Every structure is written in structure tokens, then in C-alpha cells.
Amino acid sequence: MTKVWAHRGASGSSPENTLPAFEMAIEQGADGLEFDVQLTRDDHVVVIHDETLERTTDGRGWVADHSLEDLRRLDAGAGHEGFEGVRIPTLAEVFDLVRDADVRLNVELKNSRIPYQGLEERVLAIIDDYGLADRVIVSSFDHNSLRGLAESGTTLPLGILYSEPLWRPWNYAVKLGASALHPSLSATRPKVVERSHEAGLEVNVWTVNEPVEVERVRDLGVDALITNFPARAREVLNSR
Ligand code: G3P
Ligand code: MG
């Protein structure tokens, strides 16, 4: 059965990548949570998607130019009725929230635009502190970063994110040392799912919001779909 992972939490109904979004996703029956991590100026791991603050907060400029203290003052819930004053969480705060919940944790390293030095090591250390290695999968569009993790000898599962169709991505994933492909919906082809499974890889697809898309990826047999609307996806999957 295809699993439902909440994309940036239940981001269709709450402010993305915030604690309420993750709580809501769990309430909606998500099997997993996907979220994006970056480094502050003073090297704290925070959960936010864009490299800049304007779209999801009342701040301005680059995440990387702000200290954690600066970022904690920002409102990440503005514009979402009932969520005003919600803060940008740290990775540790998210782990505190979900440590007893039965959900997979897809930590996406948001490091392809800004190659944050030391992000991988810091994320690994926090996963280790919380003893969550058996529930985490680390993904990134920066495949050099994933290769570095594989070479470091990590036993964490690694997921290769990509947006456009690739040639035999299952071979690429195996060679790199990854255990999953994370294609966009439009780059997800039946042959990729089939060959990846033969190679022992998971295929986790984003972003799958519409019921017809949920049915399509379910019929392809993908392992997880990553959606902004976990309750809706769950309903479609249960309705069969
Ligand atoms: O991890 C799946 C998806 O989140 C990748 O794209 O831009 O939403 O982080 P993006
Ligand atoms: Mg993401």
C-alpha cells in the first residue's frame, strides 16, 4: 500500500514547515513527514523551504544571513488565519514533537542553491541525538551532498530528488549508494518504478495533490506519495 507523506507538513491547510503543520499531518493520518532544512548564520539547523524569508515569514533576506535568535522573532504563520505568531522551528524542535509519533521522517537537505558547509554533519548529529536513525530518510537535489553522506559510511537511507526524467535513474541511485528515488510526479514513469523495485530501491513521489494523481501513483505502485493534503490522499487510497 502506498504510504502518505505530508509535504512540508499538512501544508495545504496550515503554514508549511511549522510545528502546527506537522501536528495536523499526524492528526490527518500521515505515515510520514517531509520537510526542508537549512543552516542559520550561527549554524543552527532550521526547518524552512525557501533560502529567503519573504514568502513564508514577515522577515526579509537570506536565511543564511540571520542568526537563530533573529529567525525566532519572525512570524511564519502570518497570512494563515489562526496561525499568527507561529515560529520557524529548529530540526530539534520538530524531532521533539514527533519522537513518539509513528511516522517516517524525510529530511530534505535544502542545499543545492546554497551549499551550506557542515549541514550534513549537523543534521546527522541531531538525528543521532534523538535516536531517530531508523525512521529518517535524507533526501536532496544536491547529489554530491548525498554521495558525500554515502562515502562517510552513514547507514541512513538516502533519497535522490529530481524534477526531470533521467536515463536509468535506478542504476545511478545504486551507484551513488542511495536507497530511494524521489522523482517529481511528472518525472515518474512506470518503468522507473518497476526497475527501481527490482534494484531494491524505494520510489517516493512528490507533489501528489489531486485525487486522480493519487490514483495514478497508487496504480504505479510507488512506495510513498508526498502531498500537501494528507487527509485527502488517505481518503482516496482507502476508498479502493
Ligand atoms: O522532497 C520533495 C519535495 O519537497 C521537493 O521539492 O521544492 O518542495 O522541496 P521542494
Ligand atoms: Mg522539500
Side-chain angles (χ1 to χ4, degrees), residues 142-153 158 174-178:
D142 181 345
H143 304 170
N144 293 302
S145 169
L146 295 176
R147 176 63 189 167
L149 280 168
E151 283 177 349
S152 78
L158 305 173
V174 169
K175 188 152 191 183
L176 186 144

Side-chain angles (χ1 to χ4, degrees), residues 51-62:
E51 292 83 357
T52 49
L53 295 164
E54 283 80 352
R55 183 179 62 85
T56 58
T57 78
D58 57 354
R60 287 170 164 274
W62 299 90

